[in-house]
Amino acid sequence: SAVISQKPSRDICQRGTSLTIQCQVDSQVTMMFWYRQQPGQSLTLIATANQGSEATYESGFVIDKFPISRPNLTFSTLTVSNMSPEDSSIYLCSVGVSFEGEQYFGPGTRLTVT
Amino acid sequence: DQQVKQNSPSLSVQEGRISILNCDYTNSMFDYFLWYKKYPAEGPTFLISISSIKDKNEDGRFTVFLNKSAKHLSLHIVPSQPGDSAVYFCAARNTGNQFYFGTGTSLTVIP
């Protein structure tokens, strides 16, 4: 198993500002992911955070808006840039722990943009 | 385009009875299917998975059934307990290791 922590747990931000979310894992993991869950919606994969190289973004998500860092195998950050109210969401990081796709999720960061 | 769908946003079941949560998908290239449970203010927790080459996987009170011809999977919980009350997400993985989640079904088990 893996224990994942995220900081901050929640934040209220003004339009046009940026917020960096941190994800810390208690063990080294290869696969780390960032998801978004908008109100009433499913979890949507933003990107796969790759250690030592640029993140792999899903369709509809771009690096300028959601820059990701992965400096080592236990830590990653997601920045939500130039925020608008449409970015209000829960952001979750997860780590892949099995070939079958089992993931452990962090508790999430609830972001509200005013 | 929603590739994984959970058409029932909520479900209520009496304690001790069976809970059946359903999920439909559109992509025949998915190779693994997973169910997660989520409590408020927590991240989703893995419950059970099934490979696309199987039609059933059982783990204690939880059984997942896969019907590939119908592109349908279901999670059976029996007997249901009040602690099972949570939001349940189904998810599917394609061969490119991309995951797609449903919108969730909120299960309430009534004591």
Side-chain angles (χ1 to χ4, degrees):
Chain A
S1 66
V3 178
I4 304 168
S5 59
Q6 283 185 237
K7 288 195 294 187
S9 59
R10 61 175 60 225
D11 208 341
I12 300 173
C13 301
Q14 289 193 337
R15 179 196 302 260
T17 63
S18 298
L19 176 71
T20 296
I21 303 167
Q22 298 179 8
C23 179
Q24 180 74 53
V25 188
D26 69 342
S27 58
Q28 293 187 339
V29 293
T30 303
M31 296 181 289
M32 187 177 282
F33 309 96
W34 285 99
Y35 286 86
R36 178 175 76 180
Q37 185 183 15
Q38 294 179 304
Q41 303 295 314
S42 62
L43 282 75
T44 301
L45 181 63
I46 297 172
T48 302
N50 303 307
Q51 196 268 330
S53 64
E54 195 170 281
T56 305
Y57 289 85
E58 298 301 308
S59 175
F61 298 96
V62 295
I63 187 172
D64 290 346
K65 176 68 175 177
F66 297 102
I68 289 171
S69 77
R70 179 93 191 268
N72 56 53
L73 293 176
T74 64
F75 185 79
S76 178
T77 66
L78 168 75
T79 299
V80 186
S81 303
N82 188 24
M83 288 184 284
S84 67
E86 292 70 35
D87 295 319
S88 296
S89 184
I90 298 173
Y91 292 85
L92 302 108
C93 69
S94 75
V95 299
V97 295
S98 72
F99 173 79
E100 293 81 4
E102 177 185 346
Q103 297 178 48
Y104 286 96
F105 283 83
T109 297
R110 182 178 293 272
L111 170 63
T112 303
V113 184
T114 61
Chain B
D1 179 33
Q2 191 74 19
Q3 296 194 42
V4 177
K5 298 180 182 178
Q6 293 175 258
N7 293 317
S8 298
S10 63
L11 175 68
S12 291
V13 172
Q14 285 291 136
E15 180 178 5
R17 307 293 289 267
I18 185 171
S19 296
I20 300 176
L21 298 103
N22 294 303
C23 182
D24 297 295
Y25 62 95
T26 58
N27 188 345
S28 59
M29 298 303 293
F30 289 140
D31 62 353
Y32 274 96
F33 302 88
L34 308 97
W35 283 94
Y36 286 83
K37 178 170 71 174
K38 185 181 184 302
Y39 293 115
E42 295 183 11
T45 304
F46 171 76
L47 262 181
I48 192 170
S49 65
I50 187 168
S51 164
S52 61
I53 63 173
K54 295 185 176 181
D55 55 18
K56 177 182 175 182
N57 189 27
E58 188 173 353
D59 183 3
R61 296 186 297 114
F62 302 91
T63 303
V64 56
F65 295 93
L66 176 62
N67 183 335
K68 287 187 67 177
S69 61
K71 294 191 176 64
H72 178 85
L73 70 156
S74 61
L75 174 68
H76 293 210
I77 306 172
V78 56
S80 301
Q81 299 173 355
D84 295 329
S85 297
V87 177
Y88 289 79
F89 292 94
C90 68
R93 187 189 80 171
N94 66 15
T95 51
N97 208 36
Q98 295 167 306
F99 294 87
Y100 298 87
F101 283 77
T103 51
T105 296
S106 178
L107 173 65
T108 302
V109 180
I110 303 166

